[in-house]
Amino acid sequence: DFDWGIYDVLFIDYQLGVHENGLDWIERYRKDSGFPPVILMTSTSDEYVAASAIKLGASFLYKESGYGGGAHWSNGFRGRPGA
């Protein structure tokens, strides 16, 4: 058993490797006691990823690459599910 209560927020990337992504991870652990609000980050602006993250109760934050190496961030912060 992991003590999620020690964290205020969890930042997780969508791309976690070959066999797992951030959505899988959120779905697996979101019902654990004390699981914090989640911000999912990804370098793509895929609507499926955004909708899936929101359905799982995560806030969604994605990075859009801009000209000159800059970055613009969009978010849909919703706060802690059930709060």
Side-chain angles (χ1 to χ4, degrees), residues 13-78:
D13 195 356
Y14 175 69
Q15 297 295 329
L16 297 179
V18 178
H19 302 291
E20 188 174 41
N21 65 48
L23 296 175
D24 297 332
W25 206 88
I26 294 166
E27 187 168 17
R28 183 177 310 127
Y29 297 108
R30 70 186 176 128
K31 294 190 180 188
D32 286 3
S33 177
F35 192 69
V38 176
I39 296 175
L40 179 72
M41 300 177 293
T42 181
S43 60
T44 65
S45 56
D46 185 310
E47 290 178 14
Y48 170 79
V49 173
S52 297
I54 291 168
K55 285 179 184 177
L56 290 172
S59 299
F60 182 73
L61 180 69
Y62 71 89
K63 176 179 174 260
E64 295 177 348
S65 296
Y67 293 103
H72 304 280
W73 293 90
S74 294
N75 72 49
F77 188 73
R78 298 179 48 207

